[in-house]
Amino acid sequence: MHQKFTMRNHFKKNILFLFLVINSYQLSAQTVVQGSLEQLTADSLIFYYSYHGKIQKVCLPVIDGKFTWAVDLREPVMISAYLPVLSTTMKYAFYAEPGNMTLTGSVRSKETFRDIKISGSRTQHEYEKYNALVAVKYKEYLDLNEQIKRLPLAKRAGLESKLELARLEYSLIIPETFIKSNPNSYLSADLLFDLSSKSKGEMISELYKLLGAKVKESYAGKQVLRYLGAIKNAALGESVSDFELKDEEGNSIRFSDFKGKYVLIDFWASWCAPCRAENPNLLRAYDKYKNSNFTVVGISVDKDKSKWGKAIKEDGMPWIQLIDERKENGGIIDHYGIKTIPASFLVNPAGQIIGKNLRGNALDAKLEEVLNGAKP
């Protein structure tokens, strides 16, 4: 009898200790999300989010449709919650931020899923208002696109200009307007970082200057500043810093090995259709000027080296081919703020960038100019 009593007390102490640990963590955590979803029968849920550049996965236990997530977030972060709805899984995206939040609604059907709400997040509220504005213009874009498809080519011109305007509004004008109107919103930093791949550096720089001090210190704000520094590295007249990458055979090649030549640095990938379409033009330029102090250096962002090698053979590219394995994590494309490919730099014998993204006739004209004795 004495042994049973001792074991029972020991079990109670363990439960009490676990309860205190969980509650202590919730008190110390910056963010607590309490969830209550009707018809949620799963015993766990998966949340994904990116925090300071690293993808995080969380598996949350569910009891009677309820769950609690306590996490130390120092700034708003977009969360992807994967919720079971009927026989499928649907993603519910929301902003979590420091403080207490509640996630409520029902997963009974796709219709009720759309009504799931999160409260307690100012950034989420801003995100919902922003999305409502984008949704209107995006629907307008889709409707116009359908109208155009039904028209003969001769009658499309007028609507095509309206279509382009609608695209610019939902993809550029609305986010730009939001940033200008909400400089102290963390959502503005995220939108600006997204715009950095679509807009000119001058515009990104001007919008960045508007951001509040705290927003500039957010992860997205720091990424925008880093990008602005990177595009300065790629400005005309800047010198290309020496770098070292591996070729197909695994040999280390330094860019300084090509000093004294005109070099076209071509950023591409085997999966990039526009890159592959441009390769015949590059081949013609290479064949025409290879004996005139000119060469090409290809830099691939491929992940699959076998596909990279196969594309080199298929497209018959005889110049040096290198691969940037670090990519966005401190690689060459990261250093120069390259967000899309194809991209290219024309570098003079002194190592300075004298041309960017030259293709087809534009590349031929520039090479004709510089290789025939004109000053770059």
Side-chain angles (χ1 to χ4, degrees):
M1 178 67 103
H2 177 70
Q3 185 179 6
K4 289 181 180 178
F5 177 77
T6 302
M7 289 178 67
R8 189 180 299 116
N9 280 346
H10 181 68
F11 179 73
K12 287 181 177 179
K13 285 180 180 179
N14 284 342
I15 292 294
L16 178 61
F17 175 75
L18 182 61
F19 176 79
L20 290 173
V21 167
I22 292 173
N23 278 273
S24 173
Y25 179 70
Q26 288 188 12
L27 289 172
S28 66
Q30 298 290 314
T31 302
V32 177
V33 179
Q34 301 276 358
S36 179
L37 296 172
E38 296 176 13
Q39 303 295 314
L40 179 59
T41 58
D43 55 11
S44 65
L45 293 177
I46 300 294
F47 282 11
Y48 284 98
Y49 64 101
S50 177
Y51 194 60
H52 289 198
K54 295 182 179 179
I55 301 298
Q56 308 287 341
K57 177 182 177 181
V58 180
C59 184
L60 298 174
V62 178
I63 300 175
D64 296 328
K66 295 179 172 59
F67 59 89
T68 299
W69 182 38
V71 62
D72 187 6
L73 298 178
R74 303 292 171 168
E75 62 187 50
V77 173
M78 175 65 77
I79 311 297
S80 295
Y82 289 86
L83 308 176
V85 180
L86 300 176
S87 59
T88 188
T89 300
M90 298 180 69
K91 183 177 80 170
Y92 179 76
F94 68 93
Y95 269 98
E97 62 185 33
N100 296 313
M101 281 160 281
T102 56
L103 182 68
T104 56
S106 170
V107 292
R108 182 173 62 252
S109 67
K110 292 182 179 180
E111 287 71 25
T112 61
F113 172 85
R114 296 189 187 99
D115 295 327
I116 291 175
K117 295 293 181 186
I118 182 122
S119 59
S121 170
R122 175 183 174 180
T123 309
Q124 174 66 15
H125 179 64
E126 293 171 340
Y127 180 60
E128 289 171 356
K129 288 174 66 177
Y130 168 79
N131 269 347
L133 293 173
V134 171
V136 171
K137 282 299 169 184
Y138 187 61
K139 184 179 184 304
E140 182 181 319
Y141 172 83
L142 293 177
D143 290 345
L144 282 169
N145 198 36
E146 286 302 313
Q147 288 181 47
I148 290 171
K149 287 179 182 178
R150 292 193 293 267
L151 291 174
L153 291 175
K155 295 184 178 181
R156 291 183 179 185
L159 283 180
E160 283 176 342
S161 60
K162 290 183 179 180
L163 181 72
E164 178 60 13
L165 179 59
R167 185 192 68 80
L168 287 173
E169 286 203 54
Y170 80 74
S171 64
L172 294 176
I173 297 172
I174 292 177
E176 180 185 353
T177 302
F178 181 92
I179 293 166
K180 288 178 177 178
S181 303
N182 301 273
N184 293 309
S185 169
Y186 285 93
L187 176 58
S188 290
D190 282 352
L191 292 175
L192 187 54
F193 183 59
D194 181 60
L195 279 179
S196 66
S197 64
K198 308 171 185 175
S199 305
K200 293 182 178 180
E202 294 84 355
M203 174 184 166
I204 301 300
S205 179
E206 290 305 310
L207 290 174
Y208 175 79
K209 291 174 185 176
L210 300 176
L211 298 181
K214 286 186 178 180
V215 176
K216 285 181 178 177
E217 285 301 309
S218 68
Y219 178 74
K222 289 178 179 178
Q223 289 299 102
V224 173
L225 182 61
R226 187 166 176 243
Y227 169 72
L228 290 173
I231 60 175
K232 285 182 181 178
N233 296 333
L236 291 176
E238 288 296 311
S239 295
V240 174
S241 302
D242 196 17
F243 58 84
E244 183 177 298
L245 296 173
K246 303 282 189 183
D247 65 10
E248 287 182 271
E249 285 73 41
N251 301 313
S252 294
I253 306 293
R254 301 192 70 87
F255 184 67
S256 55
D257 297 341
F258 303 94
K259 190 172 182 179
K261 286 179 174 264
Y262 284 93
V263 181
L264 184 77
I265 305 176
D266 176 44
F267 298 92
W268 72 290
S270 64
W271 44 262
C272 170
C275 302
R276 303 288 296 274
E278 182 61 22
N279 282 337
N281 292 327
L282 283 184
L283 189 57
R284 280 191 290 273
Y286 176 79
D287 287 340
K288 184 176 179 179
Y289 298 105
K290 65 183 178 182
N291 296 320
S292 302
N293 202 34
F294 169 75
T295 192
V296 179
V297 174
I299 298 180
S300 169
V301 296
D302 274 289
K303 292 181 179 179
D304 190 325
K305 288 186 179 180
S306 64
K307 291 181 179 178
W308 170 48
K310 183 182 177 185
I312 293 170
K313 290 181 177 61
E314 286 178 349
D315 292 2
M317 295 180 279
W319 50 83
I320 291 288
Q321 291 288 347
L322 308 175
I323 190 163
D324 186 7
E325 296 182 282
R326 294 177 65 185
K327 302 176 182 66
E328 294 90 351
N329 299 312
I332 304 303
I333 65 166
D334 190 33
H335 180 72
Y336 290 108
I338 294 171
K339 298 283 189 179
T340 59
I341 53 174
S344 64
F345 302 152
L346 181 60
V347 182
N348 68 11
Q352 297 169 312
I353 299 171
I354 60 170
K356 294 169 63 176
N357 302 323
L358 298 169
R359 302 186 183 98
N361 293 334
L363 174 60
D364 188 70
K366 185 66 175 179
L367 290 174
E368 189 70 33
E369 172 195 331
V370 299
L371 293 174
N372 281 337
K375 290 183 180 180

